[in-house]
Amino acid sequence: MNKCKQIQDRLAASGPAALREDTHAQEHVVECEACYRFLENLDQVEQGLASLPTLDAPDDVVARLLERDELFEPVTPTTSARTPRRRLRFLVWGGGGLVSASLLLALFVFRPERVVELARVDTPPAVSSFAEDRESGALTPEQEAALRAWGYLADGDESDSESRRLDSGALSQEQQDQLPTLRGFKTLPDGPNDSLVESMQKALPTNDQVGEKLTVTNGLDKTGEYDGRAVGYAELKVHGSRDREFKALVGDVTDVDAITQRTGEINLNSIEEVEENYEFTDKFEFTDLVAAEGTATYFGRNRLEESGASTTKEKAKQDLAKNEPVGDDQRGGGKLSNKVHDNREVGQHRASDRPQAIAVEDSLAGAVAFINDRKMTEGINFSEATGYWSNSYLPGDPLLRLLHARLASGLAGFDVRRLHAAVRPTVQPLDAPQHAALSVQLQSDRGATEGPARTLIQIGIKGIEHQGGRRSAMNLAIVLHVEDDTPVEVATGMRAIADALNAARRPGDRFRLIISGEPGGLAVDADHFRHGELLVALSRLFDAEDDLEGPEWTLAEALNKAIGQVAMDDDPSATLGTSAVLVVTGRELDSDEDQLNALAHRSAVAGIPVGVIAVGEDADPLQLERLTVSGQGRFGVLLRPADAESLIDRELAAVSRAVARAVRLRIRLAPGVELVNVIGSERLNERAADRVRQSEQSLDLRLARNLGITADRGMDEDGIQIVIPNFYAADEHVILLDVVAPGAGPLVDVTARFKDLVYLKNGTVRASLSLDRGIQTQGPAELNVLKNYLAHELSETLRIAGSALKRNDRDTAESLLGHHERLLAGLTSLLPGLRNDRDVVSDIALLASYREALGRPDLTDEQRNWLADSLRYAAGARLHTPQAIERNPS
Amino acid sequence: MTKNLNPRGDARVRRSVSEIAQNGSDSAPVPEPATWSAADNQERDWILEHAAGDRQAFTQLVGAYRAPVYSYLVRSGIPAADRDDLFQEVFIRVHRAAGSYNPSHPVAPWLFTIVANAVRNQLRARRVRELIFREAPAVEPLDCGERGDERIEAEQNRAWLEHEIQRLPQAQREALLLTYLKRMPRKQIAAALGIPLNTLKTNLRRARLELTRRLGKRNRPSSGKVKR
């Protein structure tokens, strides 16, 4: 702790009088402007607090109090009943958690007109709240029945036999089926076309393909005629580092030009550009999805993936059979029906003439289809369970952090707030390791089987609770990206960061300040990085009245200089990550972005990660994300200068939070077990796999040099390989595999090798899982796996809905959310284990709330954008461990 | 010398450090009294008499605590619409709990335990309401009771401070309010809040730090464009 902080802490603890006897501290305060200001402000705060007036209660309130009937009741004497009272209180609070969680559902469900009060100490909250509503007539008999069934109305609340029967929990199947209706969910019109659009979107490039040259094919292929309607295959193929394909059979094709395929190459400059502008419907019109190749059709949202899972829902099957499209021979020689050549506008969807090929007719149908889909073992295209797959452990995901920061500033006058704030990942029942940095635990969504079984395998990774400890001395360069006319907010933020860095400086640290722009260069070197020099440099930078003269430095030049400066002082024996470069910017990067990314990548491979701090909201998050990924650094956002200190503290402490590095997971499926998919991950092509190998070996060698942990990487292994660069203390991560097991027996064997930074050794943990022979059982652990799968599905829905909303496609967003809401509601009815599950209940409520917000007729563009961000943030926060956000609030 | 919370004027006089240290208010804790004060004894008697059926004693207890309790509710951010009800609710709870009062302990920490818990419950309920019904949290402007042109600045400063107190994290706000409202010894405050003494000290220190930083921020010049 530096002297300023020490003195300010003392002052805060004891007030200005703390300095009375301490002349040494007084001398420091006299010389130090920051401490003097602090003292002066503290003194004023103290005096203000001391002189706060007492605010008296109005006389009429006191008079009414003294007339309250309760005061006429005799006081009940209580003897020494402390122990029982404590136990009772514990029970009340213990149960209160469950009741409160359930009550959230109940509140969402019934939306009573009057505001109810929660969590009274003296009476069970649910009972008192809803009893009041019942008395006021706010509850319908059905709602009362449901409340009673769920245990929210106590025995004494109603005396008729019907309520007692329901109190016993004897809800008939019919009543149970009505529960979703009771919950007030409206049936939304199905929108298969929206689903198609959404599904095509999934085939669009991803963030990590930005900067690539992609081959894109789109169009409508092999059209034909069936049952008087023109049908054809809509296609979208994107080939790059990640191949994505979409193919679906569509009906009522109206634009003959669409038959022509279009192939070309595009330079992908920005993912948002693609999401917002890529017109994949410009060459054809479709008014209905008839069937999709490789489609899972549960809950009416057609997931069109290359996995090839096809529908099993009985009704959908029948409908599809009715519309059984053409075979290859027909498609090749078919002709478009004249009747489809009408005057429809290209890109318009019509609901009126949609055949209900896969319409979901009741609220449970989607859930039934989902469950059937999860039972399917045949007719699936399997993936190879080998090669490198993408890492889905993203602590402090840059985009998520930026969204969080953007949303934290709120939206004036918009009362839909904090929907996303309640979104949390499912708590994982993972045991923390005791004698290693990581533990790996396996679980599946079924314990036993008597034959072939579709199974979800969950690989849970948990980091040890404690971390490396005190941070090492840091060798850091900070690059300020400054141009003419820097907004004062950005300038203030940059000053705050520089000040915070100075305040966080400890013996052994070597910091330096480099500036881009005119004049640019090394402003403060490592030997002179202290308050006075910084003050002068920053004043010269931001306060000078006239334009200063000097050489102009581009950001790439400044970054290059910074890397060079850090490299000069880099101690190869120091902990990896203690040498780093931080780029601070408040605007879009220069046009030489490729050069910047290349510099950052080279620096990272050399052991000097390059991180980024965005000041304000004007910076381009995608540019910065690319730079951060290239530089293997961290990404921070500073919206308020007051947060600079905590932001810098976190950046500097990040190194010591990592408990394992170069975590290599090898997942080997047992013979006969087929991989359907790795949920949330994708198989990497050779180019991407090369980068993973390169980074892993760089970490391996560096840690061998620094910490003496033997280098042991460089060889590919059999099975699925996933490499996680860093794993942080107390974090947890879940990887889900969708597989088909041939029957009872071994399922999977997982080995995790990692550089253990706690015990300074090569760590290895291994776990295996098998299925017993017998009838399937589904206890809490198995249900938890299913919940994690549902969380992934929800995340995907929220993400796509957010993207749709960003494009101003409210109908698609609303439809997606509605479908998912019905799926979850249906599942809670069909699967007893999920009925009162707080995560699922919260998810349903979240979807309903978002849908309600989207349905507002007076939604402005600004509010729509805000909601889109909120949806996209919720999508990430539903999966990522909250610590990543809470520890990094900016 | 004029001291205020908004020293934005450029002509501000720089006071010496020793002057501030000597004259500045002392945040040292109120010492734990060796014996009970007359007021403590009186309050204890009121509770015991009320438990024995004397309603007049309860009226006197309400008279003694109405202002501190009401101040606590206001500064905890309880909205005006709920404040009066909660005020009554607190004293109803005091009435109901009077039988459990331990006469070997002073009344203030016992009573403020009830107040703090009532406020926590109310705020918890409000957070849920904000989440569910999307009620925007609002910090109400406070009427501090002073009028007159010469008091405008003082009122502004006080309103700023009241506002900032309400924005503090709950634990810090509770510690600060009980420290300055009733001037109870810290051990009693910690007992009232149900937290260890050191936690209370930490919360107090953080509250002062936060308020001081915010005041520093408030005193900085407003933004504009800077030209390099």
Side-chain angles (χ1 to χ4, degrees):
Chain A
M1 187 185 294
N2 65 32
K3 187 155 190 173
C4 293
K5 195 162 186 334
Q6 266 183 348
I7 288 179
Q8 290 177 14
D9 269 353
R10 272 179 60 196
L11 286 169
S14 308
L19 299 185
R20 272 179 199 162
E21 309 298 329
D22 190 343
T23 52
H24 185 63
Q26 282 188 23
E27 282 169 12
H28 172 86
V29 175
V30 167
E31 290 172 0
C32 175
E33 183 65 16
C35 286
Y36 178 80
R37 290 278 169 235
F38 184 89
L39 173 65
E40 200 174 47
N41 290 336
L42 176 71
D43 186 43
Q44 289 163 10
V45 166
E46 282 291 313
Q47 294 193 30
L49 287 170
S51 62
L52 280 179
T54 306
L55 308 173
D56 201 358
D59 289 338
D60 61 317
V61 174
V62 177
R64 283 205 304 275
L65 163 69
L66 294 174
E67 289 167 6
R68 292 274 294 257
D69 291 342
E70 292 93 327
L71 295 181
F72 289 92
E73 296 166 1
V75 173
T76 310
T78 310
T79 54
S80 54
R82 293 184 66 84
T83 306
R85 278 172 61 81
R86 281 184 177 175
R87 192 180 302 140
L88 178 63
R89 190 182 305 163
F90 173 77
L91 287 173
V92 168
W93 282 105
L98 293 173
V99 170
S100 300
S102 310
L103 185 57
L104 279 175
L105 161 68
L107 284 173
F108 272 111
V109 170
F110 298 110
R111 301 193 179 284
E113 289 302 315
R114 57 197 292 276
V115 172
V116 294
E117 181 181 332
L118 303 181
R120 287 173 184 273
V121 168
D122 305 325
T123 51
V127 173
S128 64
S129 306
F130 284 100
E132 287 166 16
D133 285 319
R134 184 164 55 85
E135 284 162 13
S136 69
L139 297 182
T140 65
E142 290 81 9
Q143 289 170 337
E144 272 199 43
L147 271 180
R148 213 169 283 112
W150 297 335
Y152 288 113
L153 286 186
D155 285 300
D157 286 331
E158 197 65 54
S159 57
D160 61 275
S161 58
E162 175 70 5
S163 66
R164 279 198 298 275
R165 190 176 68 78
L166 290 173
D167 268 341
S168 68
L171 270 186
S172 68
Q173 185 58 46
E174 188 183 345
Q175 285 168 321
Q176 288 188 24
D177 291 345
Q178 286 174 350
L179 286 180
T181 312
L182 286 176
R183 289 172 190 176
F185 300 130
K186 294 173 185 171
T187 303
L188 284 177
D190 290 311
N193 287 323
D194 294 339
S195 299
L196 182 61
V197 173
E198 169 258 312
S199 302
M200 289 189 81
Q201 262 198 295
K202 290 182 69 172
L204 290 174
T206 54
N207 273 328
D208 59 356
Q209 289 178 287
V210 171
E212 287 186 38
K213 182 171 282 188
L214 305 174
T215 305
V216 180
T217 305
N218 69 346
L220 193 66
D221 190 23
K222 293 182 180 177
T223 54
E225 185 177 345
Y226 175 74
D227 198 20
R229 295 187 298 141
V231 294
Y233 277 96
E235 285 188 332
L236 176 67
K237 295 179 181 176
V238 179
H239 296 290
S241 61
R242 293 188 188 193
D243 295 341
R244 286 170 170 255
E245 292 188 6
F246 164 89
K247 197 171 187 181
L249 191 63
V250 297
D252 282 3
V253 179
T254 59
D255 189 343
V256 74
D257 292 337
I259 299 170
T260 311
Q261 278 199 354
R262 191 179 63 173
T263 303
E265 287 190 336
I266 61 165
N267 282 309
L268 187 55
N269 298 315
S270 150
I271 193 69
E272 282 191 342
E273 176 189 318
V274 171
E275 287 185 352
E276 289 169 6
N277 302 322
Y278 194 72
E279 296 291 344
F280 49 78
T281 59
D282 63 350
K283 283 292 180 187
F284 56 87
E285 180 190 1
F286 45 85
T287 56
D288 177 47
L289 173 65
V290 177
E293 272 194 356
T295 305
T297 56
Y298 58 80
F299 67 96
R301 181 187 129 206
N302 299 277
R303 299 188 316 152
L304 304 169
E305 298 174 331
E306 52 272 64
S307 64
S310 59
T311 178
T312 58
K313 180 176 180 292
E314 206 52 42
K315 174 153 178 49
K317 266 187 173 177
Q318 290 165 6
D319 289 335
L320 288 170
K322 279 183 205 164
N323 291 324
E324 188 63 47
V326 289
D328 283 342
D329 52 343
Q330 289 172 287
R331 275 187 268 131
K335 253 182 7 178
L336 287 176
S337 165
N338 286 335
K339 75 172 187 177
V340 299
H341 294 281
D342 57 19
N343 293 325
R344 296 172 188 174
E345 290 178 19
V346 171
Q348 294 290 310
H349 311 310
R350 292 190 174 187
S352 57
D353 52 359
R354 285 176 192 159
Q356 295 300 308
I358 52 165
V360 178
E361 292 183 353
D362 61 79
S363 60
L364 294 181
V368 170
F370 175 87
I371 291 170
N372 285 338
D373 178 71
R374 293 303 318 152
K375 289 178 181 171
M376 202 170 89
T377 58
E378 294 177 349
I380 303 170
N381 291 337
F382 296 117
S383 303
E384 273 188 49
T386 56
Y388 282 86
W389 290 66
S390 62
N391 163 38
S392 52
Y393 172 67
L394 298 166
D397 177 356
L399 193 58
L400 206 56
R401 279 208 225 174
L402 186 81
L403 287 170
H404 186 264
R406 196 186 286 170
L407 291 165
S409 58
L411 193 60
F414 192 37
D415 61 347
V416 179
R417 291 185 179 187
R418 305 177 69 174
L419 284 179
H420 56 272
V423 179
R424 289 283 183 275
T426 302
V427 175
Q428 304 301 329
L430 301 176
D431 295 329
Q434 297 294 322
H435 305 295
L438 296 183
S439 68
V440 171
Q441 291 149 63
L442 301 182
Q443 186 57 262
S444 67
D445 66 341
R446 61 168 64 229
T449 183
E450 291 181 322
R454 183 82 173 265
T455 306
L456 286 169
I457 298 172
Q458 174 178 296
I459 302 164
I461 310 168
K462 176 90 179 175
I464 196 167
E465 298 284 347
H466 60 82
Q467 57 196 54
R470 191 179 173 83
R471 78 166 170 87
S472 312
M474 298 289 291
N475 174 30
L476 193 72
I478 183 167
V479 180
L480 299 186
H481 181 209
V482 187
E483 302 285 344
D484 289 345
D485 279 344
T486 301
V488 74
E489 299 80 24
V490 174
T492 308
M494 288 180 169
R495 278 178 192 268
I497 287 170
D499 287 343
L501 204 57
N502 183 48
R505 195 158 47 91
R506 292 178 185 171
D509 286 343
R510 288 184 68 74
F511 300 156
R512 67 276 293 162
L513 178 71
I514 291 127
I515 295 165
S516 74
E518 183 184 357
L522 180 63
V524 182
D525 64 24
D527 294 329
H528 298 91
F529 196 93
R530 47 183 170 256
H531 179 71
E533 276 78 356
L534 266 181
L535 193 67
V536 170
L538 293 173
S539 297
R540 182 176 144 82
L541 184 63
F542 294 121
D543 299 340
E545 302 252 331
D546 302 321
D547 286 348
L548 301 171
E549 291 188 359
E552 182 175 357
W553 285 46
T554 64
L555 182 58
E557 288 170 332
L559 177 60
N560 197 27
K561 176 76 175 176
I563 294 167
Q565 286 280 312
V566 172
M568 276 198 303
D569 285 347
D570 185 31
D571 177 3
S573 63
T575 308
L576 182 62
T578 51
S579 289
V581 173
L582 266 181
V583 176
V584 183
T585 181
R587 58 192 306 153
E588 287 187 12
L589 300 180
D590 297 339
S591 56
D592 52 357
E593 190 192 338
D594 290 344
Q595 194 184 353
L596 285 172
N597 291 343
L599 268 174
H601 176 67
R602 281 206 300 274
S603 177
V605 171
I608 301 172
V610 176
V612 178
I613 294 178
V615 180
E617 292 187 54
D618 291 339
D620 179 348
L622 294 166
Q623 276 188 331
L624 300 187
E625 185 180 348
R626 288 193 290 276
L627 184 57
T628 312
V629 169
S630 299
Q632 295 181 17
R634 290 163 54 81
F635 183 94
V637 183
L638 182 76
L639 292 185
R640 299 181 310 157
D643 295 333
E645 198 172 315
S646 56
L647 178 65
I648 289 296
D649 280 347
R650 280 195 305 275
E651 291 298 321
L652 298 181
V655 174
S656 60
R657 272 195 60 226
V659 293
R661 284 178 182 257
V663 181
R664 164 178 275 270
L665 285 172
R666 184 183 60 171
I667 304 162
R668 289 186 299 179
L669 298 181
V673 177
E674 298 282 1
L675 176 70
V676 179
N677 201 8
V678 181
I679 311 295
S681 178
E682 284 172 345
R683 193 188 168 97
L684 300 178
N685 65 11
E686 196 49 41
R687 183 179 147 195
D690 266 348
R691 291 192 78 162
V692 171
R693 286 190 201 99
Q694 203 176 8
S695 299
E696 184 190 16
Q697 286 169 25
S698 165
L699 283 170
D700 187 35
L701 294 173
R702 177 81 184 217
L703 289 166
R705 279 203 308 269
N706 293 355
L707 304 176
I709 302 175
T710 311
D712 62 349
R713 303 297 168 88
M715 299 288 287
D716 286 352
E717 297 170 295
D718 56 341
I720 297 165
Q721 299 164 85
I722 296 174
V723 176
I724 302 172
N726 302 297
F727 206 95
Y728 291 100
D731 266 4
E732 55 195 20
H733 180 56
V734 163
I735 297 169
L736 286 174
L737 272 63
D738 188 2
V739 302
V740 173
L747 205 56
V748 68
D749 177 85
V750 177
T751 305
R753 293 161 59 206
F754 52 92
K755 304 292 171 182
D756 190 323
L757 300 187
V758 179
Y759 294 94
L760 298 180
K761 61 179 184 180
N762 278 313
T764 304
V765 290
R766 186 172 173 177
S768 56
L769 184 70
S770 59
L771 287 178
D772 295 336
R773 185 175 304 281
I775 299 170
Q776 179 188 353
T777 54
Q778 203 165 42
E782 286 78 18
L783 266 176
N784 187 65
V785 178
L786 179 63
K787 279 172 54 183
N788 285 330
Y789 181 69
L790 289 174
H792 270 279
E793 291 289 310
L794 175 67
S795 171
E796 191 68 358
T797 298
L798 294 172
R799 188 187 65 77
I800 298 170
S803 296
L805 195 57
K806 202 80 176 173
R807 296 194 313 271
N808 201 14
D809 189 354
R810 279 168 68 174
D811 291 344
T812 297
E814 206 171 339
S815 171
L816 282 171
L817 298 176
H819 283 313
H820 207 108
E821 185 185 325
R822 278 191 294 158
L823 166 72
L824 293 182
L827 288 177
T828 57
S829 298
L830 296 174
L831 302 177
L834 295 181
R835 189 159 299 158
N836 292 317
D837 183 85
R838 62 189 298 176
D839 289 326
V840 177
V841 164
S842 300
D843 288 343
I844 293 172
L846 180 81
L847 288 163
S849 301
Y850 270 125
R851 205 160 45 74
E852 188 193 14
L854 287 178
R856 295 186 177 194
D858 55 345
L859 205 63
T860 65
D861 282 350
E862 193 184 13
Q863 290 169 341
R864 176 178 55 76
N865 279 327
W866 193 90
L867 269 177
D869 283 346
S870 176
L871 279 165
R872 296 198 298 180
Y873 173 80
R878 188 66 185 85
L879 296 181
H880 292 186
T881 181
Q883 290 96 316
I885 297 302
E886 285 165 2
R887 287 177 193 160
N888 305 285
S890 59
Chain B
M1 184 168 302
T2 303
K3 297 172 188 172
N4 58 54
L5 286 165
N6 186 19
R8 286 185 181 172
D10 292 329
R12 202 159 48 112
V13 177
R14 183 177 172 116
R15 294 186 294 153
S16 75
V17 172
S18 57
E19 181 192 352
I20 299 174
Q22 294 302 326
N23 301 333
S25 54
D26 191 348
S27 300
V30 176
E32 190 76 29
T35 58
W36 284 36
S37 67
D40 288 335
N41 283 324
Q42 181 67 71
E43 290 170 1
R44 180 194 59 188
D45 292 345
W46 284 335
I47 294 280
L48 295 177
E49 286 162 14
H50 169 60
D54 182 357
R55 290 205 65 208
Q56 188 58 33
F58 191 74
T59 305
Q60 288 176 306
L61 182 74
V62 171
Y65 275 91
R66 56 186 273 182
V69 168
Y70 199 76
S71 301
Y72 188 92
L73 299 186
V74 173
R75 290 181 178 131
S76 293
I78 302 295
D82 300 335
R83 200 179 297 144
D84 293 349
D85 287 346
L86 189 61
F87 175 80
Q88 294 189 26
E89 183 66 29
V90 163
F91 280 102
I92 294 294
R93 289 183 192 186
V94 168
H95 159 72
R96 287 179 178 151
S100 66
Y101 169 67
N102 183 345
S104 63
H105 292 90
V107 170
W110 172 79
L111 193 142
F112 271 101
T113 300
I114 295 173
V115 179
N117 285 338
V119 168
R120 286 169 183 169
N121 287 339
Q122 182 79 11
L123 294 179
R124 190 182 303 124
R126 194 177 72 177
R127 278 198 295 275
V128 175
R129 286 204 299 265
E130 285 165 16
L131 179 70
I132 297 172
F133 300 101
R134 293 167 215 88
E135 289 178 350
V139 178
E140 297 173 13
L142 294 171
D143 181 359
C144 299
E146 295 187 55
R147 292 287 180 271
D149 291 343
E150 71 279 5
R151 302 277 177 96
I152 286 177
E153 188 177 350
E155 279 192 30
Q156 282 176 345
N157 293 335
R158 189 173 302 143
W160 176 85
L161 187 57
E162 301 268 18
H163 177 86
E164 294 302 322
I165 289 173
Q166 290 189 27
R167 285 181 58 216
L168 285 175
Q170 186 171 328
Q172 295 176 21
R173 186 174 59 235
E174 286 174 345
L176 199 73
L177 288 181
L178 287 190
T179 301
Y180 286 92
L181 269 179
K182 194 66 180 151
R183 304 295 293 178
M184 288 192 289
R186 284 187 180 171
K187 267 189 184 174
Q188 291 187 11
I189 297 173
L193 295 176
I195 56 176
L197 182 59
N198 283 335
T199 305
L200 174 78
K201 289 176 182 173
T202 302
N203 288 339
L204 266 177
R205 180 173 57 81
R206 286 183 177 159
R208 289 199 193 99
L209 269 174
E210 188 58 33
L211 288 176
T212 306
R213 280 178 187 153
R214 288 182 194 172
L215 178 62
K217 190 176 166 189
R218 181 185 184 227
N219 290 342
R220 279 187 207 133
S222 55
S223 66
K225 288 269 187 180
V226 291
K227 175 84 175 170
R228 287 193 64 199

